[in-house]
Amino acid sequence: FHSFNKLSYPAGVLRYSIVRNGVYQTGEIRYAYNGSSDTVVSDESKTPSAGVGITITMTVTGELLVFNYTSTSTGYNSTIRYQRVDYF
């Protein structure tokens, strides 16, 4: 759902909130690209810890750091809002 150049923004935080079927989840993912290989280190904290059935992941694709999400099949739509905070 969001991507950006891995060399321009190698480290930062993605803060997000999700609502699904009236249940809210907030969290943030802290990330750092190591600059030499196509790997990224990330750490997520969220409330509630069980979440709302949405999993957010981060991958490297070419020149991009890509945030994606997967959803459990509950039959309910979700809305995700996010803000990226860059460290460099």
Side-chain angles (χ1 to χ4, degrees):
F1 66 92
H2 183 73
S3 64
F4 49 92
N5 186 285
K6 65 187 178 186
L7 299 177
S8 298
Y9 306 102
V13 175
L14 184 81
R15 294 182 179 134
Y16 66 87
S17 46
I18 303 170
V19 61
R20 187 176 199 187
N21 191 32
V23 179
Y24 290 84
Q25 172 183 324
T26 61
E28 66 179 28
I29 299 175
R30 293 167 299 282
Y31 65 89
Y33 171 66
N34 72 8
S36 61
S37 67
D38 284 342
T39 59
V40 66
V41 176
S42 63
D43 178 41
E44 180 181 15
S45 62
K46 63 184 174 183
T47 302
S49 60
V52 294
I54 304 287
T55 302
I56 298 176
T57 58
M58 185 173 197
T59 58
V60 178
T61 303
E63 294 298 314
L64 299 176
L65 293 176
V66 181
F67 287 94
N68 288 303
Y69 70 91
T70 55
S71 170
T72 57
S73 181
T74 65
Y76 295 105
N77 292 330
S78 62
T79 300
I80 301 173
R81 296 188 196 277
Y82 63 91
Q83 173 189 33
R84 190 182 80 216
V85 179
D86 302 318
Y87 288 143
F88 299 98

